[in-house]
Amino acid sequence: MGFNLDPLVALGVVFATAATDAAYVFFNAAVVARRRVRAANWSGIWYLLSAFAVISYTEHAVYVLFAALGSWIGAFLSVTWLVRAPHPSR
């Protein structure tokens, strides 16, 4: 029983989890800012984006490594963007 890694699926998992973590960071930022509609929107987006990655790595566990990589990238980039973004009260 062999497993052939599909590079497109692996890349899709990286991008899906990067976007998922970015949505999670923006969701938390919206919650902290008490922005109900933004928080609800980011929450919905967060779950929609995670579906592709979950389906992919439950089929083959090796894709969890790509999910972890995408998760790291998404959190790092979105927090970097939030730090540089102008604060709305300024």
Side-chain angles (χ1 to χ4, degrees):
M1 181 183 199
F3 170 70
N4 292 324
L5 181 72
D6 184 340
L8 290 177
V9 172
L11 190 59
V13 170
V14 170
F15 283 124
T17 53
T20 300
D21 266 56
Y24 178 73
V25 169
F26 294 134
F27 162 76
N28 280 307
V31 168
V32 168
R34 307 269 196 261
R35 307 270 187 184
R36 294 180 297 172
V37 173
R38 282 187 190 169
N41 290 342
W42 281 117
S43 181
I45 291 167
W46 171 26
Y47 278 97
L48 287 174
L49 289 168
S50 66
F52 174 79
V54 170
I55 290 167
S56 297
Y57 65 70
T58 54
E59 184 74 22
H60 297 292
V62 73
Y63 289 122
V64 171
L65 299 173
F66 295 96
L69 175 63
S71 178
W72 191 95
I73 291 167
F76 181 85
L77 292 178
S78 58
V79 171
T80 300
W81 184 84
L82 281 174
V83 169
R84 293 182 182 175
H87 194 276
S89 65
R90 292 184 193 172

